[in-house]
Amino acid sequence: MKVQGLSSGKQTSIVLDLSAMDKMPRTTFSTTTPWHSGVTEFSGVLLKDFLAATQLSGTKLQIIALNDYEVEADISDLKKAGALLATRQNGAIMPVSDKGPVFLIFPFDSRPELQHQTYYSRAVWQIAEINVQ
């Protein structure tokens, strides 16, 4: 996954693979989603921990999927909602054929306001690129 943004006032571009993501602080939660039957467990890196680990700063995030689906959102909104860059589903690494390798997901069951099209549309799977603006 390609990640770009400002780090210490300088434009930075890095490529992160699964092993690099696994070295970041890990979080796990279970939730229902519109795309899975029943409760599903997701684990990965909280967006706030991801930004701290990559030392990228900004106010907006642009997320681009392999199929060019694109979402732009305020970082503060995503953090507040508990956005997780999931790399595993039910303990297994997610293949591209099942929303992997990285899926931005929210703990939809934790708060009713997350069960809304605003957050469903921000749940991006098969993430290819993240731009911190």
Side-chain angles (χ1 to χ4, degrees), residues 37-127:
S37 59
V39 175
T40 304
E41 180 188 87
F42 295 96
S43 61
V45 183
L46 286 172
L47 179 62
K48 68 178 184 73
D49 294 333
F50 175 82
L51 292 172
T54 58
Q55 299 181 341
L56 296 172
S57 59
T59 58
K60 291 202 176 289
L61 207 66
Q62 177 192 42
I63 306 160
I64 304 169
L66 290 173
N67 67 357
D68 293 328
Y69 178 76
E70 187 178 317
V71 167
E72 190 173 297
D74 289 339
I75 290 172
S76 60
D77 290 347
L78 297 174
K79 285 181 178 180
K80 186 176 157 189
L84 178 77
L85 290 162
T87 56
R88 288 175 176 75
Q89 178 180 307
N90 296 323
I93 293 170
M94 295 184 298
V96 171
S97 61
D98 193 16
K99 300 183 177 30
V102 181
F103 182 9
L104 182 78
I105 189 78
F106 300 92
F108 297 116
D109 295 344
S110 68
R111 298 194 320 260
E113 64 268 22
L114 297 179
Q115 297 173 8
H116 188 274
Q117 187 56 40
T118 299
Y119 291 96
Y120 296 150
S121 68
R122 292 177 177 170
V124 181
W125 52 81
Q126 298 174 331
I127 296 175

Side-chain angles (χ1 to χ4, degrees), residues 3-13 56 131-133:
V3 183
Q4 300 181 104
L6 286 177
S7 178
S8 302
K10 202 169 113 180
Q11 187 64 28
T12 303
S13 181
L56 296 172
N131 297 307
V132 182
Q133 304 167 337

